[in-house]
Amino acid sequence: MAYEISATFEDGVFKPDEPLDLAPHTRAKIVLEVPHEPSQVVKQAILDIEQLWNEYPVKLGKPRPTRDDLYDRH
């Protein structure tokens, strides 16, 4: 039988977020997947993309931005 559970690692022990219907001393094989937090570089890249999106939104049916609009904005 297979279960997919969420758990917290605390004091050297995995503690399930919800109770499990298992008998005491039941052995199990655990496959561990640890979600990771994006790095600061990735977070900054996302912020940069969002800023560009807000400066140059895509508007359907409108003319496309020119090269000057995109590259010579300094």
Side-chain angles (χ1 to χ4, degrees), residues 34-45:
V34 179
H36 68 281
E37 187 71 23
S39 70
Q40 190 58 38
V41 172
V42 171
K43 289 178 183 178
Q44 186 59 51

Side-chain angles (χ1 to χ4, degrees), residues 2-63:
Y3 295 92
E4 183 174 326
I5 65 167
S6 296
T8 303
F9 188 69
E10 187 178 304
D11 299 326
V13 177
F14 285 101
K15 298 181 181 181
D17 295 341
E18 297 178 13
L20 300 174
D21 187 22
L22 297 173
H25 306 289
T26 299
R27 294 199 40 88
K29 177 181 177 181
I30 297 174
V31 178
L32 187 62
E33 178 182 319
V34 179
H36 68 281
E37 187 71 23
S39 70
Q40 190 58 38
V41 172
V42 171
K43 289 178 183 178
Q44 186 59 51
I46 292 170
L47 291 174
D48 292 345
I49 290 169
E50 288 176 346
Q51 180 180 353
L52 286 171
W53 181 264
N54 290 330
E55 288 179 23
Y56 298 100
V58 175
K59 297 179 182 175
L60 299 177
K62 302 286 183 177

